[in-house]
Amino acid sequence: MNGPGPADGRLDAPLRLDAASMAGLLTPVGAADALADALRGGLDPEACPPRTGLAVPGGELLLMPAASGAYAGVKIAGVAPGNPARGLPRITGCYLLLDGPTLSPLALLDGAALTALRTPAVSALALRHLAPAGPPLRLVLFGSGPQAYGHLEALLAVRELAGAVVVTRTPEGAQKLARYARTLGVPARTGGPGDVAGADLVVCCTTSREPLFDGRLVAPGATVIAVGSHEPDARETDTALVRRSVVYVESRAAALREAGDLLVPEAEGAVGPGHINGTLADLVTGRMGGGGAAGCPQLFKSVGMAWEDLVVAQALYTAALAGGHSET
């Protein structure tokens, strides 16, 4: 995570990047590349500070700081469950990127847009290693919010999709996302939880606190990516799937704090902490190979981490400077 210092031409006033500006600066694949470069460069997710959460009247306020190399930063995010009914985003917030040595503010980024970019990028990076080659994948996608759209685009950028089945609580949301998938050239329809039986790839991008499908139905060799929860008592996948799967996470420490998909089965006595087989860094650096374990599914459980925000924010900032952006 190297970059020019303030004396090398960085702006004196913080650069402001809104969602529209960020969309043109970095693709999900570019963000995945930046994350991979950081891991190969020695960044250790296990050393990342834990997320701090504070209950507030509107929901939850999250504070996510990180520092590495020439940069530091912090995301302040709000999770407001009542916002969609008001016509407002469920996730709000901003990201402050700082110069590492001086802690001078460099950029202020839209926090929700940053999250909407980095989470699919993490999933795409995991998929590169868990299903690196083979025939087009049959996708079942749970959810129809911003993360579902972002994941569809990011996963399509790293693997060809034979088709997609969209599963949501509201038929309208599923139909809208299926139509969008078809505009991207992916045959798509709406469906139900039982469709996981025919999937090569299952992606969960929901706010559900209970399992979305019967894990016994997932085919051996299929890959499941779950990103919707970072709370120890909420999960999108069930105990049956966790027990059957080779399990990968972003960080063991973070998963054992926040990943209800793993902590609930552990509390039930169905699995132990040792059930985590590897991490994203293990996959990216080659310490452990993915690519489809014989006879069992692969599960990648993501909780979202501050180091990922920092890496992607730095990549956006660097791209903005290269493109001649100035303070707005």
Side-chain angles (χ1 to χ4, degrees):
M1 293 181 62
N2 297 317
D8 298 317
R10 281 179 175 167
L11 302 172
D12 292 332
L15 184 67
R16 295 179 183 270
L17 295 174
D18 60 18
S21 300
M22 293 163 61
L25 291 173
L26 191 66
T27 65
V29 169
D33 290 341
L35 292 163
D37 288 344
L39 293 173
R40 293 190 188 105
L43 186 149
D44 182 8
E46 302 297 343
C48 184
R51 183 192 338 256
T52 299
L54 175 67
V56 294
E60 186 178 20
L61 185 64
L62 303 174
L63 187 69
M64 299 176 65
S68 181
Y71 295 90
V74 60
K75 183 167 73 175
I76 301 174
V79 182
N83 271 9
R86 303 183 181 100
L88 299 171
R90 182 175 180 271
I91 304 296
T92 68
C94 60
Y95 192 89
L96 180 63
L97 182 67
L98 307 169
D99 174 67
T102 67
L103 298 183
S104 301
L106 299 176
L108 186 66
L109 298 85
D110 183 295
L114 177 62
T115 304
L117 173 62
R118 68 91 153 125
T119 306
V122 171
S123 297
L125 180 58
L127 185 63
R128 280 181 181 173
H129 295 275
L130 295 177
L137 301 174
R138 297 166 295 174
L139 169 67
V140 172
L141 178 57
F142 287 85
S144 60
Q147 283 293 342
Y149 281 83
H151 273 77
L152 176 64
E153 295 169 355
L155 299 173
L156 186 59
V158 297
R159 282 299 309 270
E160 185 178 355
L161 299 178
V165 179
V166 182
V167 184
T168 69
R169 290 175 296 182
T170 58
E172 297 81 5
Q175 291 164 5
K176 183 178 179 181
L177 181 51
R179 286 195 298 269
Y180 179 70
R182 291 193 289 270
T183 70
L184 301 179
V186 180
R189 62 174 177 85
T190 62
D195 282 298
V196 299
D200 305 302
L201 174 63
V202 179
V203 179
C204 306
C205 307
T206 76
T207 59
S208 178
R209 304 186 66 84
E210 299 293 336
L212 298 167
F213 56 89
D214 184 345
R216 295 172 298 181
L217 298 178
V218 176
T223 299
V224 179
I225 296 175
V227 307
S229 166
H230 65 266
E231 298 175 73
D233 58 349
R235 57 178 177 163
E236 296 175 294
T237 61
D238 66 5
T239 298
L241 178 70
V242 174
R243 291 186 65 178
R244 295 179 58 211
S245 297
V246 178
V247 177
Y248 299 91
V249 296
E250 297 144 298
S251 150
R252 283 182 168 83
L256 294 176
R257 284 193 305 265
E258 300 181 333
D261 296 70
L262 308 181
L263 292 173
V264 173
E266 184 180 336
E268 294 173 346
V271 300
H275 193 70
I276 296 174
N277 297 88
T279 67
L280 186 62
D282 291 332
L283 293 170
V284 170
T285 61
R287 293 193 296 264
M288 176 174 289
C296 59
Q298 300 179 111
L299 170 62
F300 177 69
K301 171 54 190 168
S302 169
V303 296
M305 297 185 67
W307 71 268
E308 299 159 353
D309 292 317
L310 178 62
V311 170
V312 176
Q314 180 225 318
L316 285 161
Y317 175 71
T318 302
L321 291 188
H325 281 63
S326 59
E327 184 185 12
T328 58

